[in-house]
Amino acid sequence: MLKVLKFGGSSLADANQFKKVAEIVKAEENRRYVVASAPGKRFSSDIKVTDMLLQCFRLSSEKKSIDEMFDKIVQRYNQIISDLELDMSLDDEFEKIKFAILNHVGSDYVASRGEYLNSKILAEYLGFPFIDAADGVFFFEDGKFDSEKTNKVLGDILSLHEYAVIPGFYGSMPNGTIKTFSRGGSDITGSVVARAVNAAIYENWTDVSGMLMADPKIVENPKPIDEITYTELRELSYMGASVFHEDAIYPARKAGIPINIRNTNRPEDKGTMIVSKSSSVNDTVITGVAGRKGFTAIFVEKDMMNSEVGFGRKVLEVIENHGICFEHLPSGIDTMSVVVSSKDIREIKGNITAELVKAVDPDSITLFENLALIAVVGRGMIRTEGTAMRVFTALANAHVNIRMIDQGSSELNIIIGIDEENYEKALKAIYSEFVKA
Ligand code: ASP
C-alpha cells in the first residue's frame, strides 16, 4: 500500500502548515514519498514564493535592484526554519540563487528554486532524504515531458530510498538546465512519482476537501464529489472545474493509480477519489455540472449536405488554416456547427465567413456569439433513463432557451449551449434538478 503524497503551496506556506504536513505523513508508515510545492499564500493578499522569484527575475532583466524582493524570499524560508526549530541553514543556496538571478540564468531555473528550497526544509523536518527532481525528471529538447525516461530513472533512484522528499514543478533538459512544467505543475510531479514507484495511491493534499458538484461561486453549498472517474474529471476540468492540474491525470491514469484529493487543514475529510472505473453509481445520477462562457458557434447550413463528400473536411480546413482548434462539432442532417473559442476568432470573423462561402458554397452561415457551454457529466447517465429530459425540463422551467445540444458518444455527458447571460441561472437549475435540497 505504498503512498505518494503531494502537498500544495498553501499546505506548506508556513511552519504551522509544515507541522500539519508532518502529522499527516507520519500518521501512516506507507506514506513514503512526498512531493512538495513552494510556499504559497498564507492569507489572500500574500504573494507566492514562485511569483516573488519570477518578479526577481524580471527586475534583474530590467536591470533593477532585486535586493528587497529577494530578502523577502529569504525571510520566508528563514522564518519557517526558525519556527520549526531546525538546525539548518540555506544561506549558501540563497547566495547561489541570487547570483544566478543577477547573471540572468533562465527563468525556469529561478522559478523552480521555490520548490527546491522548500523540499530541503521539509526533508530535514521529516528526516527523509532529499532527492532532486533535476536528477530524475526529464524533458526532451523541444520542451515536452519525457515520460518514459523519467519513469525509468526516477523509479531506479527511488528504489534505493525507502522514504524521500522530492521537489515538484521541475526537471531537467537534455543539456542539464532546469525546466519547469506549467504553473501548478507540482501536481504533475506527484503523479509522475506515483507512477515511477508504482504507488497504490496518489494523495494530492491541498486546501479544499476535494471537488464539488458545481461551482460554489454560483451554486450555494454544492455537494462534494466522493468518487469520480478520470474521464468524468477530464470533462469537468475542461469546463474549468478543477482543483488539480489537467496534465497530472495522465501518469497516474496510465498506471491505473487512483488519485485522492485531500485537505491538509481537514485531514479527517475523505476528499475526492479519482479512479479509472467506479464501482458505485451516484445517487444523484450526475457526478457534476460545470460550464464556461466565451464560445461562438459557426452554424453552416446547406441542403443535401449529407451527400456531399468532403463537406465537413472543407469546413474544418478553413478553421484549421487559421490555426484554431474546434471545441465541439454538433451536426444535423443539413447543418453543421463548429464551436470555437470566441477570443480565437474575434479578429477574423469576416475572413472565416468569406472563406467558408468560397469553400463549401452554403445556403447560410450564422455566427452565434456569446455562447456559454454547460456540461452535465455523469457515469450514471448510461443506466438512467430520462436524464436528458430532466436537464431540458429544468432549463425550460427556468426560462432558459437552449441554443445547442451535444451528447458525447460516450454517453457520459450532455453539453448544452445557451446564451451567456443565462449561464448562472442554467447551472443552478440543473444542479437543483439533480440534487434535491
Ligand atoms: N509553485 C508552482 C506554482 O506556483 C508550482 C506548484 O505550486 O504546483 O505554480
Side-chain angles (χ1 to χ4, degrees):
M1 267 301 270
L2 196 166
K3 295 185 176 182
V4 168
L5 291 75
K6 178 258 170 179
F7 290 92
S10 59
S11 302
L12 291 165
D14 60 22
N16 198 27
Q17 293 299 86
F18 267 71
K19 287 179 187 164
K20 293 183 194 169
V21 166
E23 223 167 275
I24 290 166
V25 174
K26 300 286 164 135
E28 288 184 30
E29 222 173 284
N30 43 26
R31 288 186 167 148
R32 287 178 23 202
Y33 299 107
V34 180
V35 173
S37 275
K41 292 184 178 194
R42 294 160 294 183
F43 39 87
S44 61
S45 59
D46 200 12
I47 311 175
K48 288 176 163 195
V49 165
T50 310
D51 289 316
M52 294 203 272
L53 285 161
L54 286 168
Q55 180 66 8
C56 285
F57 180 80
R58 270 190 295 271
L59 287 170
S60 168
S61 356
E62 290 162 12
K63 307 221 169 355
K64 293 183 182 144
S65 165
I66 67 164
D67 290 350
E68 197 185 326
M69 185 59 79
F70 197 80
D71 283 351
K72 279 192 190 154
I73 299 172
V74 170
Q75 271 166 26
R76 278 203 69 173
Y77 285 111
N78 280 342
Q79 184 79 48
I80 296 174
I81 294 173
S82 73
D83 287 352
L84 294 176
E85 296 174 23
L86 292 174
D87 183 18
M88 73 183 294
S89 161
L90 291 173
D91 288 350
D92 290 349
E93 303 285 357
F94 295 142
E95 213 172 294
K96 242 191 269 170
I97 296 167
K98 190 165 186 182
F99 181 82
I101 298 174
L102 293 173
N103 288 285
H104 313 296
V105 175
S107 68
D108 279 20
Y109 169 79
V110 175
S112 74
R113 295 304 88 184
E115 349 293 288
Y116 174 84
L117 295 168
N118 224 22
S119 299
K120 287 247 159 179
I121 301 176
L122 186 62
E124 180 74 22
Y125 188 51
L126 294 173
F128 287 8
F130 167 87
I131 302 293
D132 194 348
D135 299 329
V137 176
F138 303 102
F139 293 86
F140 289 114
E141 201 67 68
D142 64 3
K144 292 214 176 79
F145 172 54
D146 185 345
S147 62
E148 296 319 302
K149 180 176 173 194
T150 298
N151 196 45
K152 169 89 185 64
V153 178
L154 193 61
D156 287 348
I157 296 175
L158 293 175
S159 70
L160 304 173
H161 301 274
E162 214 179 334
Y163 297 90
V165 173
I166 307 118
F169 192 36
Y170 71 92
S172 50
M173 293 289 285
N175 66 4
T177 54
I178 296 291
K179 158 118 188 88
T180 61
F181 292 109
S182 58
R183 294 300 303 266
S186 298
D187 282 344
I188 309 174
T189 312
S191 189
V192 161
V193 171
R195 181 179 170 216
V197 300
N198 203 10
I201 189 162
Y202 167 29
E203 292 180 343
N204 188 284
W205 291 83
T206 171
D207 52 8
V208 289
S209 296
M211 291 185 70
L212 300 170
M213 284 186 69
D215 184 348
K217 288 197 274 314
I218 299 172
V219 170
E220 207 183 312
N221 242 333
K223 274 179 71 165
I225 300 176
D226 297 333
E227 195 177 61
I228 185 168
T229 64
Y230 296 123
T231 331
E232 289 175 312
L233 178 72
R234 164 80 184 114
E235 313 248 354
L236 287 174
S237 30
Y238 164 77
M239 290 295 182
S242 188
V243 289
F244 191 59
H245 194 300
E246 242 188 293
D247 297 344
I249 301 169
Y250 301 106
R253 180 178 189 167
K254 198 163 186 168
I257 301 167
I259 305 165
N260 191 192
I261 311 281
R262 299 286 293 262
N263 188 347
T264 302
N265 305 317
R266 291 182 56 93
E268 63 281 11
D269 291 352
K270 284 205 176 73
T272 300
M273 191 65 101
I274 307 164
V275 293
S276 53
K277 223 176 149 90
S278 165
S279 44
S280 67
V281 175
N282 288 321
D283 50 6
T284 44
V285 180
I286 65 165
T287 304
V289 51
R292 268 202 283 154
K293 295 180 180 176
F295 293 99
T296 294
I298 306 167
F299 185 74
V300 188
E301 198 172 8
K302 187 174 186 183
D303 237 6
M304 303 303 287
M305 171 196 289
N306 68 316
S307 55
E308 192 172 323
V309 176
F311 189 94
R313 179 186 51 76
K314 287 180 205 153
V315 169
L316 291 180
E317 207 166 56
V318 169
I319 313 284
E320 183 184 344
N321 288 343
H322 285 277
I324 296 173
C325 52
F326 71 87
E327 309 277 340
H328 297 276
L329 206 60
S331 299
I333 297 169
D334 285 335
T335 61
M336 175 172 172
S337 15
V338 186
V339 179
V340 294
S341 151
S342 301
K343 67 172 177 354
D344 285 351
I345 65 154
R346 191 157 295 140
E347 310 291 324
I348 47 169
K349 278 189 285 200
N351 299 3
I352 290 210
T353 314
E355 286 164 31
L356 282 173
V357 168
K358 207 164 145 210
V360 293
D361 187 27
D363 296 336
S364 73
I365 298 180
T366 320
L367 254 57
F368 289 124
E369 295 177 80
N370 307 323
L371 195 70
L373 295 184
I374 293 188
V376 187
V377 175
R379 58 189 179 275
M381 276 165 28
I382 293 177
R383 273 165 288 205
T384 320
E385 276 172 30
T387 312
M389 189 203 68
R390 285 175 71 184
V391 172
F392 302 142
T393 312
L395 291 176
N397 290 341
H399 305 289
V400 174
N401 185 23
I402 300 174
R403 303 276 291 267
M404 187 202 97
I405 300 164
D406 190 8
Q407 172 153 34
S409 45
S410 61
E411 260 197 71
L412 196 73
N413 69 7
I414 301 170
I415 294 175
I416 299 143
I418 52 168
D419 287 332
E420 278 177 349
E421 58 182 35
N422 286 329
Y423 175 65
E424 283 79 10
K425 191 160 74 167
L427 204 90
K428 278 187 198 153
I430 298 171
Y431 179 83
S432 32
E433 166 60 33
F434 290 95
V435 187
K436 301 284 181 240

